Amino acid sequence: MSIQVFGQPVSRGVAIGRAVLVASSRVDVAHYFIGTEQVEAEVGRLREARDAVAAELVALKSEVPEEAHAELVALLDVHLMLLHDEMLAEATKQWIVERHYNAEWAMSAQLEVIARQFDEMEDDYLRERKADLEQVVERLLRALARQASGMPPEAGAARDFAGEDPLILVASDIAPADMLQFKRSVFTGFVTDVGGRTSHTAIVARSMDIPAVVGAREASQLVRQDDWLIVDGDAGVLIVNPSPIVLEEYRFRQRQLELERAKLDRLRHTPSVTLDGQPVELLANIELPTDAGAAMAAGAVGVGLFRSEFLFMGREGRLPDEEEQFQAYRRVVEAMGGLPVTIRTVDVGADKPLDRMSAHELRHEHTLNPALGLRAIRWSLSEPEMFGQQLRAILRASAYGKVRILVPMVAHRAEALQVRQALDRARAQLAQSGQPYADVELGAMIEIPAAALIMPTLIRHFDFVSIGTNDLIQYTLAIDRADESVAHLYDPWHPAVLQLIAQTIARANEAGRPVSVCGEMAGDPAFTELLLAMGLRSFSMHPSQVAAIKQRVIRSDARALATQLPAVLAAEVPQEAGQSLLRTRVH
Ligand code: PEP
Ligand code: MG
């Protein structure tokens, strides 16, 4: 039977493929295809891991003290039995042999299948054995991790067996750090139960430019391993086991979207200038140094936001030192070939925890509100040693090209002064050790309403500003951007949000300071005319959005749009006013 599940649209396009269900706690397991010639060795890895775990369990059994409860021995026997059970051993092997999954992926795929069966059992005792099964799989995964050969193949390794279907990842939640490992992965679509349109998981999915739906509530419960799925990233809909007619309709849409995409790609070399001759800078948002290639390919004229925190995440506490960071920043600067690179200082916290704990777990485990806590610049200023390392690393990269530093979550004048001091200290340290660096401009992210309201003060202490609409909306409307239950209230068209954005752009323009928008609004064509009307001439977005935004820019008359702005801002329902008044100005 075909089922439809509604969620939040995250990343455009249509994906059609088979479901790969991944438990949230298992998304950090490597997922890659192996070649035909590696199948035997991979099955061998699995066998070795099983033997190692069996030896571990037998040893544990022999160590159980005599006086210990017999239950412990019985439990270890259950684990041994599960380890050798056909359902786990044989079926996992089949994922490797038939699908060419790597051993870890095969193991977690099979765990998912069996766990479902346990969930459906009537008998309480048997249902509870699921926890034992998870423990056994956990041991097996640890054993696999200890094997040296368990390394993913180099990026781009060929999927060299015929007939495989495209795959769509379905999980309850995926932490932003875990999304990163899927960047060049085998999946052609994503679905998660939780998350809002601008949650960081959604942002990373969008940067990968593959269709995704988040906040699809029960999706991971409804979908079964291997089900056929359609992910409609434009409408935010997941269709499970579609009928042949629906499938054909979506295949047709998929082809049309590809044609549209190809048309847009032709704008790559077209200058980004409005009809009335105003140049508009289109910059790229990136998460990893390797994304710089996509930024260049899209025709971006620089990096407007490098979310450096992704270098810091999912590292089990071992943060990148100055040298490692310097190499990463330098790679971006060199890849951008002289174009400006804006590096944002680390913005961890809230839905971007440092370790692999998912945002979901984080929300439930912490009673305090992490979005209002020690995140972004607050965290950096509380860790002067780490902050100094990051500033020195960025300054050193500035010797290789034009670099700008962007500070997240600024709200106080004192923060501006403290950052300037830290920067002066970092410069002095480099000068003392004879390390070269060039001039860097310092910018503030305007993403807390208080910062927008004290623009006249902040602008005196920063060389440029960049508006983070994702957080600005979250904090203005008191809506957790990652919480799907209030996603319908997350409204970029809210009059209060529009006033803050318009004011910030106007104040910066009056002061002659560069201003850009680097939140998701900048890459959404629904807002291009509005932002142009507000006087914005610099947009920073996912590389995949550059062409679509350029198309809007070159069809707009910025001066004519500006005359409509007061009416839009004064309207009771700005979205309606904007759509009618601003559309008339687009040619
Ligand atoms: C924003 O808040 O708009 C922004 C660009 O930063 P991030 O999404 O990383 O919080
Ligand atoms: Mg932000």
Side-chain angles (χ1 to χ4, degrees), residues 329-377:
Y329 304 144
R330 178 180 154 179
R331 262 176 75 192
V332 177
V333 171
E334 289 185 336
M336 293 307 294
L339 295 172
V341 174
T342 311
I343 302 172
R344 179 172 71 182
T345 59
V346 63
D347 181 6
V348 289
D351 72 333
K352 284 181 290 190
L354 269 180
D355 58 26
R356 284 197 175 275
M357 209 196 306
S358 74
H360 190 60
E361 286 165 300
L362 190 83
R363 277 204 299 278
H364 291 277
E365 280 192 12
H366 289 241
T367 46
L368 301 177
N369 188 334
L372 302 181
L374 195 65
R375 59 169 288 201
I377 190 57

Side-chain angles (χ1 to χ4, degrees), residues 31 65 107 142 169 172 178 183 198 222 228 231 237-238 277 320 328 354 379 384 389 414 426 445 456 492 532 539 544:
H31 294 73
M107 181 68 64
R142 276 202 302 268
L169 186 123
S172 169
D178 291 326
K183 272 225 163 196
T198 60
L222 291 169
W228 273 100
V231 176
V237 178
L238 165 74
L354 269 180
W379 186 71
Q389 279 179 12
M445 287 208 55
L532 286 172
F539 295 61
S544 61

Side-chain angles (χ1 to χ4, degrees), residues 272-292:
S272 174
V273 178
T274 61
L275 285 177
D276 54 324
Q278 311 223 15
V280 175
E281 182 180 57
L282 302 182
L283 303 161
N285 289 357
I286 66 170
E287 276 86 43
L288 289 176
T290 44
D291 297 338

Side-chain angles (χ1 to χ4, degrees), residues 280-453:
V280 175
E281 182 180 57
L282 302 182
L283 303 161
N285 289 357
I286 66 170
E287 276 86 43
L288 289 176
T290 44
D291 297 338
M296 288 298 273
V301 295
V303 170
L305 173 65
F306 175 9
R307 289 183 162 98
S308 70
E309 56 275 13
F310 282 91
L311 299 174
F312 288 67
M313 282 162 25
R315 305 174 54 112
E316 275 93 38
R318 198 193 63 80
L319 299 184
D321 62 14
E322 178 183 325
E323 186 60 28
E324 187 179 342
Q325 287 186 62
F326 160 63
Q327 296 297 350
Y329 304 144
R330 178 180 154 179
R331 262 176 75 192
V332 177
V333 171
E334 289 185 336
M336 293 307 294
L339 295 172
V341 174
T342 311
I343 302 172
R344 179 172 71 182
T345 59
V346 63
D347 181 6
V348 289
D351 72 333
K352 284 181 290 190
L354 269 180
D355 58 26
R356 284 197 175 275
M357 209 196 306
S358 74
H360 190 60
E361 286 165 300
L362 190 83
R363 277 204 299 278
H364 291 277
E365 280 192 12
H366 289 241
T367 46
L368 301 177
N369 188 334
L372 302 181
L374 195 65
R375 59 169 288 201
I377 190 57
R378 303 166 184 182
W379 186 71
S380 296
L381 290 173
S382 74
E383 297 277 345
E385 185 55 34
M386 189 287 310
F387 194 40
Q389 279 179 12
Q390 178 164 41
L391 292 176
R392 288 193 300 275
I394 299 176
L395 284 170
R396 284 169 61 192
S398 73
Y400 297 82
K402 186 168 165 46
V403 169
R404 309 195 308 170
I405 297 178
L406 183 57
V407 185
M409 296 271 295
V410 176
H412 302 266
R413 173 180 174 273
E415 286 164 342
L417 302 181
Q418 281 173 277
V419 172
R420 287 255 175 228
Q421 271 172 8
L423 199 53
D424 286 344
R425 221 173 10 251
R427 286 192 184 103
Q429 287 163 339
L430 290 179
Q432 206 171 24
S433 60
Q435 310 236 47
Y437 61 89
D439 283 344
V440 295
E441 289 177 349
L442 185 67
M445 287 208 55
I446 305 298
E447 52 184 346
I448 297 181
L453 294 169

